[in-house]
Amino acid sequence: MKKLIIILTLVIAAFFSVAYATTIKMGVSIDQVPKAFFGCWQVNAELQKTNNYSTFKPRSTDLWNLSRAGNVITLENPFTRAHAQVEIKHTEGNVIVFYKESTFDNKVLRDTVSIRLNGDTFGGYNDIVLETRSLHDGHILKKDTAKYLIKGKKLGGKSVLEK
């Protein structure tokens, strides 16, 4: 009986230590995001590669308003009225990797953005996956991908709630 209790205790301890380690490793604290990330940015994008040139523009210019309220980061584009919550995947110094996903009609759009902040500018990449799904059963009918070189210039501001 004593051996059973010891084994059970070790199994439970091992489970919690693995779960704890996974949480620490996988989670990125929002406080690790540099304050310079927040504000209004002019973002220029140039298509580097794609599997569907008719779907993706060769160049674009957008406005990104990046703000934080509590533990939520939001990216908004006032011209297109796009609005999405952003998930931070990784931060290390001035390097930030974030992800957003949106669904419309029978399409799922996934953006993974990797940037390096340098004062009032940034440079990096936006990897895009656009899946077209069957309305009948949801399986993927078509998967278009693109990689954009992006450059940002800060126009002003910071998170409204930042002190």
Side-chain angles (χ1 to χ4, degrees):
M1 182 67 158
K2 199 174 197 182
K3 285 182 183 179
L4 181 62
I5 292 173
I6 291 171
I7 291 171
L8 195 55
T9 303
L10 288 174
V11 169
I12 291 171
F15 171 77
F16 281 111
S17 72
V18 167
Y20 180 72
T22 303
T23 302
I24 298 273
K25 189 182 248 185
M26 293 176 65
V28 174
S29 169
I30 199 166
D31 295 324
Q32 293 174 312
V33 177
K35 289 181 173 36
F37 177 69
F38 301 104
C40 184
W41 295 87
Q42 176 184 323
V43 181
N44 296 308
E46 186 176 325
L47 186 61
Q48 299 296 292
K49 64 181 180 178
T50 182
N51 66 347
N52 188 340
Y53 285 93
S54 64
T55 297
F56 298 102
K57 296 180 188 176
R59 288 181 184 78
S60 69
T61 299
D62 283 310
L63 279 183
W64 289 359
N65 285 325
L66 289 157
S67 62
R68 173 184 173 181
N71 287 330
V72 177
I73 295 177
T74 303
L75 185 150
E76 295 177 282
N77 184 327
F79 294 123
T80 64
R81 296 190 177 152
H83 178 268
Q85 288 185 357
V86 169
E87 179 183 332
I88 301 297
K89 292 289 195 183
H90 175 77
T91 63
E92 187 174 322
N94 285 338
V95 174
I96 303 163
V97 179
F98 66 90
Y99 171 84
K100 67 182 183 67
E101 181 177 309
S102 55
T103 303
F104 51 97
D105 299 327
N106 63 328
K107 299 186 185 300
V108 178
L109 177 66
R110 294 183 183 91
D111 288 84
T112 302
V113 178
S114 305
I115 62 171
R116 178 181 297 277
L117 291 171
N118 185 14
D120 286 347
T121 64
F122 70 72
Y125 292 95
N126 183 3
D127 292 294
I128 300 173
V129 176
L130 177 63
E131 292 177 347
T132 304
R133 296 184 173 260
S134 165
L135 292 173
H136 175 67
D137 62 6
H139 77 274
I140 298 171
L141 298 171
K142 184 172 142 185
K143 186 174 183 178
D144 296 318
T145 61
K147 184 178 196 84
Y148 283 91
L149 173 67
I150 58 173
K151 294 179 182 178
K153 179 180 177 186
K154 195 160 200 178
L155 299 177
K158 54 186 172 181
S159 174
V160 174
L161 299 179
E162 186 177 288
K163 295 179 182 175

